[in-house]
Amino acid sequence: WLSSPDQLAWGLSIDEMFNSLSFSYLQFIHYPHEGGSFLFGFISILFRPFENILPTLSWVALAIDFFSRLIQIRVAEQVFGKQVALWFGVWTIFSIPLLIPWTIVNFGMHALSSFFPFLFLYIAVTYKQSKNLTIFLGVLSGIAISYSYDNISLVILSILYILLSENFTGMRVKLLLKFSLTCFIFLMPHLYTRIFIDTGFGLEKNPVASIRGVPLNNFLTTTSLTNFMEVWYKTLPGSFLLNSPALLSSILKYIISAFILTGIIFFIRSRVISLQIKSLSVSLVIIFFILYTFSPF
């Protein structure tokens, strides 16, 4: 953890910036498509007095992770009830496979942006009767994408929510325009930095949608369809595990798959959780995995 090349290089860049007293956006960030890294770099300033104990970026990761888990557990309590929040809290705090990637800066903004889907559920459920719901969703989506591109799934889900919800009958076009405009406004600062600001990676001439110089093309391929099937019984169960012997991992993946499937069945059959929450939750998971399996990464 402490010898992670990415984290060391990023930390040295920030140190050099302070030593030279020449501050720049490109030294604050980790990578251009991870807008949230600017926030990490900026907050690391607060932890510089404690850098003899831990690197400043490690302090930031732990702090962001703390608030991420706090938000998730509180939203779980508000949306799913205290019993679910209790079990989820125990799992997310004591599960070693989750503990490690969630608190390491080197995993990028992806692992530390997992609270955004929870905020989406909270807003969609709490403000479903509010006339400003689409504005709230637009603000959240724009900020979330600026933080990490994983959150593009929130835009797709927001659009589907507006199109399919009975609450928006007769107003869908207006609400879609309002959502799109709000999302774009809050996404503009990030787009500006991607297109016009020298980030030190020489990627300014690449398409905005590209990641690490790789364009998002060949979206639908035979391999992608195969990946979409495998992700449910290989990648998803495997993400719960640390490194272990191949045979043991294979057996554990099937056990975890059965565990997940059982949880989904109980979730769908639950009479306590509303149909709207069930639909939004399941749709969010499916949309995320579709984007994950069909992307070039």
Side-chain angles (χ1 to χ4, degrees), residues 8-18 26-29:
L8 286 173
W10 189 6
L12 288 172
S13 177
I14 295 175
D15 289 340
E16 192 279 329
M17 184 170 55
F18 272 88
L26 68 89
Q27 288 181 279
F28 268 119
I29 65 171

Side-chain angles (χ1 to χ4, degrees), residues 44-199:
S44 70
I45 299 173
L46 302 176
F47 292 96
R48 293 186 69 81
F50 311 104
E51 60 185 347
N52 291 330
I53 303 173
L54 274 178
T56 56
L57 290 169
S58 297
W59 282 115
V60 175
L62 291 169
I64 297 294
D65 173 74
F66 168 79
F67 286 107
S68 174
R69 292 173 196 251
L70 180 63
I71 290 171
Q72 291 180 57
I73 295 171
R74 287 292 293 160
V75 171
E77 181 183 9
Q78 293 290 323
V79 177
F80 300 107
K82 291 186 177 181
Q83 186 177 14
V84 174
L86 175 63
W87 283 109
F88 175 71
V90 171
W91 166 254
T92 190
I93 291 172
F94 292 105
S95 172
I96 296 300
L98 292 179
L99 181 67
I100 292 178
W102 276 23
T103 51
I104 299 178
V105 159
N106 191 41
F107 275 72
M109 302 301 104
H110 326 298
L112 290 166
S113 68
S114 49
F115 60 92
F116 281 109
F118 285 78
L119 289 178
F120 173 90
L121 283 177
Y122 177 77
I123 291 173
V125 171
T126 305
Y127 299 99
K128 61 182 178 181
Q129 302 296 339
S130 173
K131 62 180 181 180
N132 295 320
L133 172 62
T134 51
I135 294 179
F136 295 153
L137 293 178
V139 171
L140 177 69
S141 299
I143 294 174
I145 296 172
S146 300
Y147 189 95
S148 172
Y149 287 1
D150 296 56
N151 294 301
I152 290 175
S153 55
L154 299 184
V155 173
I156 299 174
L157 185 59
S158 296
I159 293 173
L160 290 176
Y161 182 38
I162 295 170
L163 290 175
L164 301 178
S165 177
E166 295 179 356
N167 295 342
F168 305 136
T169 304
M171 303 181 293
R172 290 189 174 91
V173 174
K174 178 182 177 181
L175 293 176
L176 279 174
L177 290 174
K178 186 184 293 186
F179 165 78
S180 302
L181 180 61
T182 306
C183 180
F184 180 72
I185 289 173
F186 279 83
L187 188 57
M188 278 182 64
H190 174 69
L191 293 177
Y192 178 83
T193 59
R194 279 294 308 267
I195 298 171
F196 298 108
I197 293 183
D198 177 17
T199 54

